[in-house]
Amino acid sequence: MNDGTRINNDLRTRRESALAPSYQLFYDDPVHLVCGEDVWVTDVDGNQLLDCYNNVPSVGHAHPRVVAALAGQAAQLNTHTRYLHEEVVRLAERLGSMLPDGLQTCFFVCTGTEANDLAVEIARTVTGQHGVVVSEHSYHGNSSLVSLLSTDSYPAALRPDWLGVIDAPNDYRGRFRADDPDLNGPDLADPDGGDLGERYADLVTIELDALNERGHRPAAWLVDPSWDSNGVLVAPDGYVEQCAQLVRAAGGLVIADEVQSGYCRLGNDFWGHTSYGLVPDIVTIGKPMGAGHPVAAVVTTPEIAAAFAERRSYFNTFGGNPVSAAVANSVLDVIEDQQLLRNASAMGIRLSTQLTELAARHNVIGNVQGGGLFWGLDLVADRGTRTPIAYDDGRRLATELRHDGILIGLTGPHTNVLKIRPPLTFSSEHVDRLVEVLDVRLAKFELRGGSERRQPSAES
Ligand SMILES: Cc1ncc(COP(=O)(O)O)c(C=O)c1O
């Protein structure tokens, strides 16, 4: 047994007795990382792995400017939002200036969950309505309120009556599909039909009616513009605008959960929602904002913030502390100075081309979906039926890729979508390396016929 294996075994045993069993580890033989630099991480045995999975270290692992901002402010002062502080105000002003007109008033919190929890509380308080509309198989966080909005996390039978759940707009695997000339059956809400975006948006009308019958009107539609937990989706034209219009007509607000899609991730713009021409009422921000440091935010209009403040006070001990604000400001500085939006856009084009070519060589890739530096490869046992590969096959593939030096993940309702979501500093060289490794590994996977061993199951 080498030193690394012994250290890992010991640490794992201690972890199992000291940490709650709720915590899961990636991989059966867990990765024990000891340091990181840019898009590379190093494990306890000294193996270097290309990080194709982690968006939290948005500007790369251990970025020297972020480390310096954190250390500098920590060495000077750390308090909270009840004292004046330049870094905190500057961060709020910067976020406001980067969002569409009107979205300029900030609340600071520590996690994406807290941001969504507060956003929904604001929407309920301001509208006087209680319902919330989310997607099937959504994930928005884990507080007692937000876990109910995370439909991937608990059985449908336990959904509260104020929750409206709509299909995610998956044009490859969903009930309406891009390649279906009849768009897959009658449009329930509109017998005259409509395009793909309209078909999916019509499901909002149906769900709002159902909510109404249960005695609720919507306070908000909470949407992740990358549909990460659905396998990383791009919504059909018109979908987002129509959903927003329907919810607003029923008196609700639109909350864009930018925890995944924000900070240049989708390559078109700094925010995910702008790709859809949407101006939300509330935006929530988390993960990439502190490049690994826990800082998150809710941004809304002065009017909504004022209406909330009339009825509720809000304070968060750690939310908006000067160290977190200094870190978040340094992340924005790096994004600007290293032109990481431009990089996400260029690497998105490179990935799009290379992943499409990869799909032409490997039948196991049923669909390539996403944009910028956020992609999903929907892996199938059979392209004709779109049957997802088996869960165990997906896990084995991710493990093999880890041994090939690639950190990658799986997502989607069937856990069959290979998720590519690296730090924003991912370069051409890294794209080429990833695709080269995938090419070899997928060929071996197909040769082995891994997916033939799966149990047949119904497709969604
Ligand atoms: C879209 C989305 N929203 C919110 C959250 C919750 O963020 P946190 O884990 O920081 O509470 C997540 C976490 O994965 C997420 O993916």
Side-chain angles (χ1 to χ4, degrees), residues 299-352:
V299 190
T300 187
T301 65
E303 295 76 22
I304 291 174
F308 181 64
E310 270 171 27
R311 298 175 186 84
R312 297 269 302 271
S313 67
Y314 186 77
F315 175 65
N316 186 314
T317 302
F318 298 114
N321 71 76
V323 170
S324 298
V327 167
N329 275 317
S330 73
V331 170
L332 293 176
D333 292 341
V334 173
I335 289 176
E336 278 165 31
D337 295 350
Q338 291 186 207
Q339 303 195 4
L340 294 183
L341 177 57
R342 184 185 288 187
N343 187 60
S345 167
M347 291 312 112
I349 293 166
R350 196 175 185 95
L351 275 164
S352 169

Coordinates of all heavy atoms in Angstrom, one line a residue, residues 299-352:
V299 N -30.0 40.6 -6.0 CA -30.1 41.9 -6.5 C -31.5 42.1 -7.0 O -32.0 41.3 -7.8 CB -29.0 42.2 -7.6 CG1 -29.0 43.6 -8.0 CG2 -27.7 41.7 -7.2
T300 N -32.1 43.3 -6.7 CA -33.4 43.5 -7.2 C -33.6 45.0 -7.4 O -32.6 45.8 -7.5 CB -34.5 43.0 -6.1 OG1 -35.8 43.2 -6.7 CG2 -34.4 43.8 -4.8
T301 N -34.8 45.5 -7.7 CA -35.0 46.9 -8.0 C -35.2 47.7 -6.7 O -35.6 47.1 -5.7 CB -36.3 47.1 -8.8 OG1 -37.4 46.7 -8.0 CG2 -36.2 46.3 -10.1
P302 N -34.9 49.0 -6.7 CA -35.1 49.8 -5.5 C -36.5 49.7 -5.0 O -36.8 49.7 -3.8 CB -34.7 51.2 -5.9 CG -33.9 51.1 -7.2 CD -34.3 49.8 -7.8
E303 N -37.5 49.6 -5.9 CA -38.9 49.6 -5.6 C -39.2 48.3 -4.8 O -39.9 48.3 -3.8 CB -39.8 49.7 -6.8 CG -39.7 51.0 -7.6 CD -38.4 51.1 -8.4 OE1 -37.8 50.1 -8.8 OE2 -38.0 52.3 -8.7
I304 N -38.8 47.2 -5.3 CA -39.0 45.9 -4.7 C -38.3 45.9 -3.3 O -38.9 45.4 -2.3 CB -38.6 44.7 -5.6 CG1 -39.6 44.6 -6.8 CG2 -38.6 43.4 -4.8 CD1 -39.2 43.6 -7.8
A305 N -37.1 46.3 -3.3 CA -36.4 46.3 -2.0 C -37.0 47.2 -1.0 O -37.1 46.8 0.2 CB -34.9 46.8 -2.2
A306 N -37.6 48.3 -1.4 CA -38.2 49.3 -0.5 C -39.5 48.6 0.0 O -39.9 48.7 1.2 CB -38.5 50.6 -1.2
A307 N -40.3 48.0 -0.9 CA -41.6 47.4 -0.5 C -41.3 46.3 0.5 O -42.1 46.1 1.5 CB -42.3 46.8 -1.7
F308 N -40.2 45.5 0.3 CA -39.8 44.5 1.3 C -39.4 45.1 2.6 O -39.9 44.6 3.7 CB -38.7 43.6 0.7 CG -38.2 42.5 1.6 CD1 -39.1 41.4 1.9 CD2 -36.9 42.5 2.1 CE1 -38.7 40.4 2.7 CE2 -36.5 41.4 2.9 CZ -37.4 40.4 3.2
A309 N -38.6 46.1 2.6 CA -38.1 46.8 3.8 C -39.3 47.4 4.6 O -39.2 47.4 5.9 CB -37.1 47.8 3.5
E310 N -40.3 47.8 4.0 CA -41.5 48.3 4.7 C -42.1 47.2 5.6 O -42.7 47.5 6.7 CB -42.6 48.7 3.7 CG -42.5 50.1 3.3 CD -43.5 50.4 2.2 OE1 -44.5 49.7 2.1 OE2 -43.2 51.3 1.4
R311 N -42.0 46.0 5.2 CA -42.6 44.9 6.0 C -41.7 44.0 6.8 O -42.0 43.4 7.7 CB -43.4 44.0 5.0 CG -44.6 44.8 4.3 CD -45.2 43.8 3.3 NE -46.2 44.5 2.5 CZ -45.9 45.2 1.4 NH1 -44.7 45.3 1.0 NH2 -46.9 45.8 0.7
R312 N -40.4 44.0 6.3 CA -39.5 43.1 6.9 C -38.1 43.7 7.1 O -37.6 44.4 6.2 CB -39.3 41.8 6.1 CG -40.5 41.0 5.9 CD -40.7 39.9 6.9 NE -39.5 39.0 7.0 CZ -39.4 37.9 6.2 NH1 -40.4 37.6 5.5 NH2 -38.4 37.1 6.3
S313 N -37.4 43.4 8.2 CA -36.0 43.9 8.3 C -35.1 42.7 7.8 O -35.6 41.6 7.8 CB -35.6 44.3 9.7 OG -35.7 43.2 10.5
Y314 N -33.9 42.9 7.5 CA -33.0 41.8 7.1 C -31.6 42.1 7.6 O -31.1 43.1 7.4 CB -33.0 41.6 5.6 CG -32.3 40.3 5.2 CD1 -32.8 39.1 5.4 CD2 -31.0 40.4 4.8 CE1 -32.1 37.9 5.2 CE2 -30.2 39.3 4.5 CZ -30.8 38.0 4.7 OH -30.1 36.9 4.4
F315 N -31.0 41.1 8.2 CA -29.6 41.2 8.6 C -29.0 39.8 8.5 O -29.7 38.8 8.8 CB -29.4 41.7 10.0 CG -28.0 41.7 10.4 CD1 -27.0 42.5 9.8 CD2 -27.5 40.9 11.5 CE1 -25.7 42.5 10.2 CE2 -26.2 40.8 11.9 CZ -25.3 41.6 11.2
N316 N -27.8 39.7 8.0 CA -27.1 38.5 7.9 C -25.6 38.7 8.4 O -24.9 39.5 7.8 CB -27.1 38.1 6.4 CG -26.5 36.7 6.1 OD1 -25.4 36.4 6.6 ND2 -27.2 36.0 5.2
T317 N -25.3 38.0 9.5 CA -24.0 38.3 10.2 C -22.8 38.3 9.2 O -22.0 39.2 9.2 CB -23.8 37.3 11.3 OG1 -24.9 37.4 12.2 CG2 -22.5 37.6 12.1
F318 N -22.7 37.2 8.4 CA -21.5 37.1 7.6 C -21.8 37.7 6.2 O -20.8 37.9 5.4 CB -21.1 35.7 7.5 CG -20.7 35.1 8.8 CD1 -21.4 34.1 9.5 CD2 -19.6 35.7 9.5 CE1 -21.0 33.6 10.7 CE2 -19.2 35.2 10.8 CZ -19.9 34.2 11.4
G319 N -23.0 37.7 5.8 CA -23.3 38.2 4.4 C -22.9 39.7 4.3 O -23.3 40.5 5.0
G320 N -22.0 39.9 3.3 CA -21.5 41.3 3.0 C -20.4 41.7 4.0 O -20.2 42.9 4.2
N321 N -19.7 40.8 4.6 CA -18.5 41.2 5.4 C -17.4 41.7 4.5 O -17.3 41.3 3.3 CB -18.1 40.1 6.3 CG -17.4 38.9 5.6 OD1 -16.2 39.1 5.2 ND2 -18.1 37.9 5.3
P322 N -16.6 42.6 5.0 CA -15.6 43.2 4.1 C -14.6 42.2 3.5 O -14.1 42.5 2.4 CB -14.8 44.2 5.1 CG -15.9 44.5 6.1 CD -16.7 43.3 6.3
V323 N -14.3 41.1 4.2 CA -13.3 40.2 3.5 C -14.0 39.5 2.3 O -13.4 39.5 1.2 CB -12.9 39.1 4.5 CG1 -12.1 37.9 3.8 CG2 -12.0 39.7 5.6
S324 N -15.3 39.1 2.5 CA -16.0 38.5 1.4 C -16.1 39.5 0.2 O -16.0 39.2 -1.0 CB -17.4 38.0 1.8 OG -17.3 37.1 2.8
A325 N -16.4 40.8 0.6 CA -16.6 41.8 -0.4 C -15.3 42.0 -1.2 O -15.3 42.2 -2.4 CB -17.1 43.1 0.2
A326 N -14.2 42.1 -0.4 CA -12.9 42.3 -1.1 C -12.6 41.1 -2.1 O -12.1 41.3 -3.2 CB -11.8 42.4 0.0
V327 N -12.9 39.9 -1.6 CA -12.7 38.7 -2.5 C -13.6 38.9 -3.7 O -13.1 38.7 -4.9 CB -13.0 37.4 -1.7 CG1 -13.1 36.3 -2.7 CG2 -12.0 37.2 -0.6
A328 N -14.8 39.2 -3.5 CA -15.8 39.3 -4.7 C -15.3 40.4 -5.6 O -15.4 40.2 -6.9 CB -17.2 39.5 -4.2
N329 N -14.8 41.5 -5.1 CA -14.3 42.6 -6.0 C -13.1 42.1 -6.8 O -13.0 42.4 -8.0 CB -14.0 43.8 -5.2 CG -15.2 44.7 -4.9 OD1 -16.0 44.9 -5.8 ND2 -15.4 45.2 -3.7
S330 N -12.3 41.3 -6.1 CA -11.1 40.9 -6.8 C -11.4 39.9 -7.9 O -10.8 39.9 -9.0 CB -10.0 40.2 -5.9 OG -10.5 39.0 -5.4
V331 N -12.5 39.1 -7.7 CA -12.9 38.1 -8.8 C -13.4 39.0 -10.0 O -13.0 38.6 -11.1 CB -14.0 37.2 -8.2 CG1 -14.7 36.4 -9.4 CG2 -13.5 36.3 -7.2
L332 N -14.2 40.0 -9.7 CA -14.6 40.9 -10.9 C -13.4 41.5 -11.6 O -13.4 41.6 -12.8 CB -15.6 41.9 -10.4 CG -17.0 41.4 -9.8 CD1 -17.8 42.5 -9.3 CD2 -17.7 40.6 -10.9
D333 N -12.4 41.9 -10.8 CA -11.2 42.5 -11.4 C -10.6 41.5 -12.3 O -10.2 41.9 -13.5 CB -10.2 42.9 -10.3 CG -10.7 44.1 -9.4 OD1 -11.6 44.8 -9.9 OD2 -10.1 44.2 -8.3
V334 N -10.4 40.3 -11.9 CA -9.7 39.3 -12.7 C -10.5 39.0 -13.9 O -10.0 38.9 -15.0 CB -9.5 38.0 -11.9 CG1 -9.0 36.9 -12.8 CG2 -8.6 38.2 -10.7
I335 N -11.9 38.9 -13.8 CA -12.7 38.6 -15.0 C -12.5 39.7 -16.0 O -12.3 39.5 -17.2 CB -14.2 38.5 -14.6 CG1 -14.4 37.1 -13.8 CG2 -15.1 38.5 -15.8 CD1 -15.7 36.9 -13.2
E336 N -12.5 41.0 -15.5 CA -12.3 42.1 -16.5 C -10.9 42.1 -17.1 O -10.7 42.1 -18.3 CB -12.5 43.4 -15.7 CG -13.9 43.8 -15.6 CD -14.1 44.9 -14.5 OE1 -13.2 45.8 -14.3 OE2 -15.2 44.9 -13.9
D337 N -9.9 42.0 -16.2 CA -8.5 42.2 -16.7 C -8.0 41.0 -17.6 O -7.3 41.2 -18.5 CB -7.5 42.4 -15.5 CG -7.8 43.7 -14.8 OD1 -8.6 44.5 -15.3 OD2 -7.3 43.9 -13.7
Q338 N -8.5 39.8 -17.2 CA -8.1 38.6 -18.0 C -9.1 38.3 -19.2 O -9.0 37.3 -19.8 CB -7.9 37.4 -17.1 CG -6.7 37.5 -16.2 CD -6.5 36.2 -15.4 OE1 -5.9 36.3 -14.3 NE2 -6.8 35.1 -15.9
Q339 N -10.1 39.2 -19.3 CA -11.1 39.1 -20.4 C -11.7 37.7 -20.4 O -11.7 37.0 -21.5 CB -10.4 39.5 -21.7 CG -9.8 40.9 -21.7 CD -9.5 41.4 -23.1 OE1 -9.8 40.8 -24.1 NE2 -9.0 42.6 -23.1
L340 N -12.2 37.3 -19.3 CA -12.7 35.9 -19.2 C -14.0 35.7 -19.9 O -14.3 34.6 -20.2 CB -12.7 35.5 -17.7 CG -11.3 35.4 -17.1 CD1 -11.4 34.9 -15.7 CD2 -10.3 34.5 -17.9
L341 N -14.8 36.8 -20.1 CA -16.0 36.6 -20.8 C -15.7 36.3 -22.3 O -16.2 35.3 -22.9 CB -16.9 37.9 -20.8 CG -18.2 37.8 -21.6 CD1 -19.0 36.6 -21.3 CD2 -19.0 39.1 -21.5
R342 N -14.7 37.0 -22.8 CA -14.2 36.7 -24.2 C -13.7 35.3 -24.3 O -13.9 34.6 -25.2 CB -13.2 37.7 -24.6 CG -12.8 37.6 -26.0 CD -11.6 38.5 -26.4 NE -12.0 39.9 -26.5 CZ -11.3 40.8 -26.9 NH1 -10.0 40.6 -27.3 NH2 -11.7 42.1 -27.0
N343 N -13.0 34.9 -23.2 CA -12.4 33.5 -23.2 C -13.5 32.5 -23.2 O -13.5 31.5 -24.0 CB -11.5 33.3 -22.0 CG -10.8 32.0 -22.1 OD1 -10.0 31.7 -23.0 ND2 -11.0 31.1 -21.2
A344 N -14.5 32.7 -22.3 CA -15.7 31.7 -22.3 C -16.4 31.6 -23.6 O -16.8 30.5 -24.0 CB -16.6 32.1 -21.2
S345 N -16.5 32.7 -24.3 CA -17.2 32.7 -25.6 C -16.3 32.0 -26.6 O -16.8 31.1 -27.3 CB -17.4 34.2 -26.0 OG -17.8 34.3 -27.3
A346 N -15.0 32.3 -26.7 CA -14.2 31.6 -27.7 C -14.0 30.1 -27.4 O -14.1 29.3 -28.3 CB -12.8 32.3 -27.6
M347 N -13.9 29.8 -26.1 CA -13.8 28.3 -25.8 C -15.1 27.6 -26.0 O -15.1 26.4 -26.3 CB -13.3 28.2 -24.3 CG -11.9 28.6 -24.1 SD -10.7 28.0 -25.3 CE -10.2 29.4 -26.2
G348 N -16.2 28.4 -25.8 CA -17.5 27.8 -26.1 C -17.6 27.4 -27.6 O -18.1 26.3 -27.9
I349 N -17.1 28.2 -28.5 CA -17.1 27.9 -29.9 C -16.3 26.7 -30.2 O -16.6 25.8 -30.9 CB -16.7 29.2 -30.7 CG1 -17.8 30.3 -30.6 CG2 -16.5 28.8 -32.2 CD1 -17.3 31.6 -31.0
R350 N -15.1 26.7 -29.6 CA -14.1 25.6 -29.8 C -14.7 24.3 -29.3 O -14.7 23.3 -29.9 CB -12.8 25.9 -29.1 CG -11.7 25.1 -29.5 CD -10.4 25.5 -28.8 NE -9.3 24.8 -29.3 CZ -8.5 25.2 -30.3 NH1 -8.7 26.3 -30.9 NH2 -7.4 24.5 -30.7
L351 N -15.3 24.4 -28.1 CA -16.0 23.2 -27.5 C -17.1 22.7 -28.4 O -17.3 21.5 -28.6 CB -16.4 23.4 -26.1 CG -15.4 23.2 -25.0 CD1 -15.8 23.9 -23.7 CD2 -15.1 21.8 -24.8
S352 N -17.9 23.6 -28.8 CA -19.1 23.3 -29.6 C -18.6 22.5 -30.9 O -19.2 21.4 -31.2 CB -19.8 24.6 -30.0 OG -20.8 24.3 -31.0

